Amino acid sequence: MNNEIEMTNIERALMTNDLSQLTVEERGQYYNSVCDSLGLNPLTQPFGYIELAADGGGKKLTLYCKRDAADQLRRIHGVSIKIKSREVVSDMLLVTAEATDKTGRVDEAIAAIWLKKNEVAWDNGLKKMRRTGQIIPLEGEALANAYMKAETKAKRRVTLSLCGLGWLDETEIESMKSEAAPEVTAAMIMHAAKAESKTRKIEVLPADEIGPFFYDLSSLDEEKKSAAFEYLEKNGAMIDDASGNWKSDKPLKKLISCRVKSA
């Protein structure tokens, strides 16, 4: 009887593309089944979970492809990729990638990256970073990273398209307002703790810390604050619009004393 209920839950999730109603065990089963069907190794965590806006309101939990998924798919299907063009149109960098698999099938995808950003500055009154309202061009390392990101995005998008997968790639979700949900991986399931007596709610003890993590730099002096900005940008952190603090998907050891919240 339990197996029938579990299958019903998973089938309902597949029909609605919403995994939020599945238990931890069911998500683990679904995750592993997806990996098996594609020939991917689940231990490398090729997929992550993200909350997206659902039709009719609310949110839904769905999968997105991480770097390992695209890398493994290219190897499995013998996909070779070449960059056909790179061009700047207005404030956008457009990169076109062409992919060919071992059967000779060809596909093409375009990635677009904005070459400007919202300027942020420290507000002494509010004691936090805030947007100034100015749009400024990317420079230095940020500009270099944008070019590399555009190429990576184009390669991954064309890989997923050629392999017939409609999931989002992790390079696409960075610009979305919904925050990535805590991932339910094989490592987490292995660390699942005891069930509560009546509700049977599972306590999940992740093998590693799970973000996002927020950092408040208001207690730092100007010299340390400047060094912290550079460290945060180098590690891919971004300003959180809601709190004005820096946000990172991973814990940053050098700024552990500045962490104000972990969600």
Side-chain angles (χ1 to χ4, degrees):
M1 183 66 178
N2 288 339
N3 288 337
E4 292 180 0
I5 294 175
E6 290 174 359
M7 285 301 297
T8 300
N9 288 342
I10 292 177
E11 289 174 351
R12 184 181 301 113
L14 290 173
M15 292 179 65
T16 60
N17 195 27
D18 183 7
L19 310 180
S20 61
Q21 301 304 311
L22 298 182
T23 65
V24 172
E25 290 89 345
E26 288 170 338
R27 289 182 196 172
Q29 293 171 9
Y30 173 73
Y31 192 102
N32 289 331
S33 295
V34 170
C35 290
D36 288 342
S37 68
L38 298 172
L40 304 179
N41 181 358
L43 297 180
T44 64
Q45 300 180 19
F47 299 103
Y49 291 88
I50 184 174
E51 283 186 337
L52 300 175
D55 294 338
K59 294 182 179 180
K60 64 179 181 180
L61 187 69
T62 187
L63 290 177
Y64 71 91
C65 291
K66 299 169 71 175
R67 173 181 176 178
D68 277 335
D71 290 346
Q72 291 181 52
L73 287 170
R74 279 198 287 268
R75 185 179 68 252
I76 292 169
H77 296 280
V79 176
S80 60
I81 298 177
K82 67 178 181 179
I83 300 299
K84 293 189 65 178
S85 67
R86 301 176 183 86
E87 59 179 333
V88 176
V89 178
S90 187
D91 297 329
M92 304 296 295
L93 169 63
L94 305 180
V95 175
T96 302
E98 181 183 86
T100 306
D101 68 12
K102 57 188 176 183
T103 68
R105 291 178 59 246
V106 178
D107 203 344
E108 188 175 288
I110 296 177
I113 297 291
W114 192 37
L115 296 179
K116 291 190 175 182
K117 66 177 181 179
N118 292 293
E119 184 181 47
V120 294
W122 182 255
D123 189 313
N124 286 322
L126 297 176
K127 300 299 182 184
K128 66 179 182 179
M129 297 294 294
R130 61 182 295 273
R131 291 184 177 181
T132 65
Q134 300 297 315
I135 303 297
I136 59 176
L138 299 180
E139 296 179 345
E141 186 175 357
L143 181 60
N145 287 338
Y147 273 79
M148 291 187 290
K149 180 179 177 181
E151 189 167 308
T152 298
K153 184 175 181 179
K155 288 180 178 179
R156 292 186 189 173
R157 291 191 70 238
V158 74
T159 297
L160 298 179
S161 177
L162 186 62
C163 295
L165 297 183
W167 283 308
L168 291 170
D169 170 61
E170 64 181 332
T171 58
E172 295 178 290
I173 68 171
E174 294 176 1
S175 60
M176 305 177 78
K177 293 184 178 180
S178 297
E179 295 180 350
E183 295 178 9
V184 181
T185 64
M188 292 174 64
I189 295 170
M190 290 175 63
H191 288 77
K194 60 183 179 180
E196 295 176 359
S197 56
K198 294 183 179 180
T199 62
R200 298 188 64 80
K201 180 180 178 181
I202 300 297
E203 291 182 17
V204 178
L205 303 179
D208 299 303
E209 293 185 274
I210 295 175
F213 301 94
F214 299 86
Y215 296 89
D216 180 1
L217 310 182
S218 59
S219 62
L220 301 180
D221 58 36
E222 292 304 318
E223 182 178 353
K224 291 182 178 179
K225 195 177 296 179
S226 177
F229 290 169
E230 183 177 349
Y231 176 69
L232 285 158
E233 287 189 340
K234 184 177 180 180
N235 284 274
M238 301 177 65
I239 295 294
D240 178 58
D241 290 334
S243 67
N245 293 316
W246 286 85
K247 180 178 71 174
S248 172
D249 290 331
K250 60 184 179 182
L252 302 177
K253 295 181 180 179
K254 289 186 179 180
L255 295 177
I256 199 73
S257 62
C258 299
R259 189 190 301 181
V260 295
K261 179 181 178 184
S262 176

